[in-house]
Amino acid sequence: GVLRVTEEKLLDTLFSPHPYSYVLFASCAGTEAGFAVYGFRYSSFAGQPSIWLDDLYVNESYRSCGVGSRLMHHLADIARGHRCTHLGWTADARNVRGLEFYHRLGAQITMRQGHRCFFQWIPSNLLSNLLRTT
């Protein structure tokens, strides 16, 4: 698809007083190393939110250095703080390196549509959130 994002759109939707999504930035030695764009979804069946990861990107020179793992574990901490049940996202099945990374985290593919894999991750720090009855 055609990239339609502009700086103005990002300022209005991510960095405004009422953002539609949130972004985490990772840096190494003062250099931008990657980012994660995420938002919250709500399940009326669970009565709890979850996190939807829209984008996880790590600059090529910082891959295999733990940047992606740090971003994901920080998201897991955010999820715990918001009493989320899980984190979800999609990834391209042809992205072998990315799929291996998600499997190392403990994420599971819940559905596949063509080349699109739907992932669910329940980090160990969220297990108590699943047992919450109040």
Side-chain angles (χ1 to χ4, degrees):
V2 176
L3 191 62
R4 297 179 305 203
V5 68
T6 64
E7 183 178 346
E8 182 180 321
K9 284 182 179 179
L10 290 175
L11 289 172
D12 186 45
T13 58
L14 286 178
F15 301 102
S16 69
H18 302 287
Y20 292 95
S21 286
Y22 304 90
V23 62
L24 293 176
F25 293 103
S27 63
C28 286
T31 303
E32 295 82 13
F35 64 87
V37 177
Y38 68 98
F40 293 92
R41 297 175 9 165
Y42 186 78
S43 169
S44 59
F45 292 103
Q48 290 175 260
S50 62
I51 284 183
W52 181 258
L53 175 63
D54 193 55
D55 284 311
L56 177 67
Y57 176 78
V58 176
N59 292 341
E60 198 167 326
S61 57
Y62 290 100
R63 293 180 186 162
S64 299
C65 296
V67 172
S69 181
R70 286 197 330 258
L71 282 166
M72 292 299 289
H73 283 95
H74 190 82
L75 280 173
D77 290 341
I78 291 169
R80 184 173 195 274
H82 286 86
R83 298 182 179 175
C84 293
T85 56
H86 67 280
L87 293 89
W89 64 89
T90 62
D92 193 307
R94 296 166 290 191
N95 180 358
V96 175
R97 189 173 179 180
L99 269 59
E100 289 173 353
F101 167 72
Y102 296 136
H103 286 297
R104 282 194 308 273
L105 282 175
Q108 303 292 320
I109 295 175
T110 59
M111 184 172 60
R112 187 169 169 170
Q113 293 177 340
H115 291 294
R116 191 174 183 186
C117 297
F118 289 77
F119 278 89
Q120 183 179 56
W121 182 39
I122 304 173
S124 59
N125 72 342
L126 296 188
L127 294 177
S128 63
N129 290 352
L130 293 175
L131 303 174
R132 205 178 279 278
T133 58
T134 58

